[in-house]
Amino acid sequence: MTEDTVDLVVDTRELEAALERLSQRAAGQVMRDALQAAGNVLLDAVVDHTPERTDEETPEGTSLPPGILKADMHTQVGLSKKTGTGFVKVGPSKDIGGLVAYRQENGWTLTEHGGKVTRGRRNPIRDIPGKHFMAAAFDESAESAVDAFCEALQDILGYGENARPENNSHDVEFG
């Protein structure tokens, strides 16, 4: 399985200076919160694009139940001490929907079950093309996710639209 990543480079010198004034623990939490805001935007798009099974389950079937692939989509946010970078992973868990999502995204070759084997492989019946639903979701939401990350970071550090003025004195002068 291949991993698709988006590298983000933004001029955030002022925000970095604000982060450096925080303790390492507090700065890490600020970054995780901002990354989660971006991840939520990506997750919403992935869930919207995830195909849903609509046929009825059969007792002998081994496929995922209807709706489980959408329900399995989640985010994972982390920080790498080694590289000094943060990351957001969006997608299904490996144990539940990972293989199904991979095949839905990239396609697969349908083969005969118990049929003739040629050169150690079962004879292919037909190729099933991928739906590329995750790629479409990321393409659609990447810019909004970057915006959400930057806005959350600015708001948390006091530079955004919801920031309080630096001089937050409650003194009132009467004339």
Side-chain angles (χ1 to χ4, degrees):
M1 290 185 214
T2 61
E3 237 180 338
D4 292 324
T5 61
V6 175
D7 290 330
L8 171 64
V9 179
V10 180
D11 182 9
T12 58
R13 287 177 280 199
E14 193 172 342
L15 295 174
E16 286 178 38
L19 278 171
E20 287 174 4
R21 289 191 292 271
L22 298 173
S23 69
Q24 186 175 7
R25 184 178 196 154
Q29 188 59 52
V30 167
M31 286 300 293
R32 280 188 290 279
D33 290 347
L35 288 166
Q36 187 62 59
N40 291 343
V41 171
L42 295 168
L43 179 62
D44 288 345
V46 167
V47 169
D48 286 346
H49 283 79
T50 299
E52 259 187 290
R53 181 176 165 204
T54 56
D55 62 331
E56 298 219 5
E57 289 183 73
T58 58
E60 66 278 352
T62 58
S63 59
L64 294 176
I68 197 74
L69 187 57
K70 277 186 186 256
D72 190 35
M73 296 297 175
H74 65 278
T75 60
Q76 178 186 353
V77 172
L79 299 173
S80 170
K81 290 180 183 177
K82 184 178 181 180
T83 62
T85 59
F87 63 87
V88 179
K89 293 181 180 182
V90 179
S93 63
K94 181 180 176 184
D95 296 334
I96 298 173
L99 182 59
V100 172
Y102 176 79
R103 287 186 175 165
Q104 288 290 316
E105 178 74 14
N106 299 300
W108 70 96
T109 300
L110 187 62
T111 60
E112 290 182 35
H113 297 286
K116 184 178 175 187
V117 177
T118 307
R119 294 188 183 134
R121 297 186 68 198
R122 297 208 184 278
N123 292 332
I125 296 173
R126 73 175 190 266
D127 287 329
I128 308 296
K131 292 184 171 77
H132 309 295
F133 70 98
M134 291 189 73
F138 287 119
D139 288 346
E140 177 183 289
S141 63
E143 190 172 328
S144 297
V146 171
D147 291 344
F149 171 80
C150 292
E151 287 173 21
L153 193 57
Q154 290 173 343
D155 286 346
I156 294 167
L157 293 174
Y159 290 90
E161 185 177 309
N162 298 324
R164 288 181 235 129
E166 225 175 88
N167 181 3
N168 59 1
S169 172
H170 297 290
D171 294 338
V172 178
E173 292 184 24
F174 294 99

